Amino acid sequence: MFIGLPRRPRITPAAIDFAIKAAEPGFRNRSKDHPTLVRGFAAVATEFPDVDLVLVGDGPRRGELEQLSAELGLADRVRFLGVRADVPDVLRAAEVFALTSVSEAASLTLLEAMATGLPAVVTEVGGNPEILPATALVGHDD
C-alpha cells in the first residue's frame, strides 16, 4: 500500500494534476480543462497498460469526469483521490505532472509539482512559458 493506493502509481505521460486550494477546489474551474487531461490519458492508456491517471481534489465537476472516464473505458485506471493533506507525497509518487489549462496565470500547482522535482508537461498558456522550458510545453490542441 502506498499513500492509500493499492500499488505505487506509475504515471506517464499524461499524469497527475491537482487543485487542492480552498478557494478553488479541483474540478470546479472549467479553465483547468480536466476533460482534456482524461482524454489525453485515454490516448496513451492502451500503450501503457500498467499506468494510472491520479487526480487529487474535488468539486462539482467530479461526476462529469468520472462519467467521461467510464465512457472511455478507463473507470478502473483514473483514480479520484479527493481532497488530500499529503499532496507533496502524492506528487513524489508520480512520474510526471500534467496541467491542461486553457487559461492560467502563474500556476501554483505547477510550482508545487516542480518543488518536488517532478517533471511537468503543461499547456502553453498564461505564465507557464515563463516557468518551464519550451520542451515541456504543448499547445492546448496537441
Side-chain angles (χ1 to χ4, degrees):
M1 189 81 127
F2 187 79
I3 60 168
L5 300 174
R7 62 183 167 84
R8 184 180 190 273
R10 179 173 170 257
I11 304 163
T12 285
I16 182 168
D17 187 13
F18 72 95
I20 193 167
K21 301 175 193 130
E24 183 183 292
F27 322 135
R28 174 170 295 177
N29 188 337
R30 291 193 183 276
S31 71
K32 300 300 181 190
D33 197 13
H34 293 102
T36 292
L37 181 63
V38 173
R39 285 188 202 96
F41 176 67
V44 300
T46 55
E47 190 174 335
F48 299 96
D50 62 338
V51 173
D52 292 335
L53 174 64
V54 177
L55 300 166
V56 177
D58 211 344
R61 299 189 64 216
R62 178 176 175 162
E64 225 177 279
L65 294 171
E66 289 172 328
Q67 181 178 350
L68 176 61
S69 298
E71 288 169 4
L72 295 171
L74 299 170
D76 61 336
R77 307 258 316 268
V78 178
R79 297 168 181 245
F80 294 87
L81 302 187
V83 175
R84 305 274 299 230
D86 62 345
V87 172
D89 293 332
V90 175
L91 287 170
R92 281 189 285 276
E95 293 185 13
V96 161
F97 170 86
L99 185 65
T100 53
S101 299
V102 295
S103 172
E104 197 66 64
S107 172
L108 292 179
T109 56
L110 171 58
L111 294 172
E112 289 166 339
M114 291 176 67
T116 68
L118 191 60
V121 177
V122 302
T123 48
E124 191 172 6
V125 297
N128 292 344
E130 297 171 24
I131 297 171
L132 281 177
T135 55
L137 300 169
V138 294
H140 185 263
D141 294 328
D142 295 340

